[in-house]
Amino acid sequence: MFTNEEFRVLSFDEKKEILGLKAKFHAKKAKATAEMKRIPKNGFNKFHNYAYAQESDVKDHVREILRENNLSVTSDLAERTETMINTKQGQATKTDVIMEFTITDAETGYFEVYRLDGVAVDNGDKGAYKAYTNTIKYFLMNEFLI
């Protein structure tokens, strides 16, 4: 919500109020994290022969727990670059993204912003979507210790 520099110049009472909001936010986030459970691996990658948790399953699992704890998550694309690369299958597009995720306490309005890099390689036109999907999925799984 504030950079360290912005926080430093606040008055004592302003700092105390912000730290109180931050404490409430992290208590809710800790409670939500404790309520998270293992997500079944409903997806299967035939090419590499492994099961995985699908992004939709992660979102479905997290959504209700966040709602119950008055937390919301929004995502924004901060940066995206595409580069042509050579692979064993020929030319492909490598898409690098930087996503910003905002977790907000819907009760107090306190929020924190997190940044996460993502990448995908695709032979068609789906690279950007794969990068977004993977970044969202792994942000939620790592942030809430799933």
Side-chain angles (χ1 to χ4, degrees):
M1 186 164 206
F2 291 96
T3 64
N4 288 337
E5 189 173 301
E6 291 170 332
F7 188 78
R8 252 185 251 118
V9 299
L10 296 175
S11 71
F12 176 78
D13 288 337
E14 290 171 322
K15 288 178 183 175
K16 187 176 174 182
E17 181 182 352
I18 296 301
L19 290 174
L21 292 173
K22 185 174 186 171
K24 287 179 184 178
F25 170 80
H26 281 279
K28 287 181 178 186
K29 194 171 157 194
K31 184 176 178 289
T33 299
E35 294 170 5
M36 299 290 172
K37 303 292 181 227
R38 183 174 297 277
I39 296 172
K41 294 181 177 184
N42 293 325
F44 188 77
N45 183 315
K46 292 177 187 173
F47 185 78
H48 293 290
N49 196 34
Y50 67 90
Y52 63 93
Q54 297 175 328
E55 182 223 20
S56 58
D57 291 335
V58 173
K59 284 180 175 178
D60 286 347
H61 180 71
V62 170
R63 182 183 302 112
E64 185 63 22
I65 293 170
L66 292 178
R67 186 196 62 74
E68 290 170 357
N69 287 282
N70 284 321
L71 296 171
S72 70
V73 175
T74 57
S75 61
D76 292 297
L77 176 64
E79 293 179 36
R80 178 176 118 186
T81 57
E82 294 180 338
T83 311
M84 293 304 293
I85 63 168
N86 292 315
T87 69
K88 291 177 184 176
Q89 290 79 31
Q91 287 263 304
T93 303
K94 177 181 174 237
T95 305
D96 292 282
V97 298
I98 299 175
M99 303 280 295
E100 288 187 346
F101 297 92
T102 304
I103 303 177
T104 303
D105 180 339
E107 208 173 312
T108 67
Y110 180 87
F111 65 92
E112 291 186 358
V113 178
Y114 306 83
R115 289 175 69 93
L116 185 64
D117 297 348
V119 66
V121 175
D122 187 70
N123 295 336
D125 61 349
K126 304 289 188 273
Y129 303 107
K130 288 179 181 180
Y132 302 158
T133 299
N134 287 334
T135 308
I136 291 166
K137 177 176 112 173
Y138 285 103
F139 171 77
L140 292 172
M141 291 180 71
N142 288 313
E143 194 60 34
F144 295 101
L145 304 176
I146 301 170

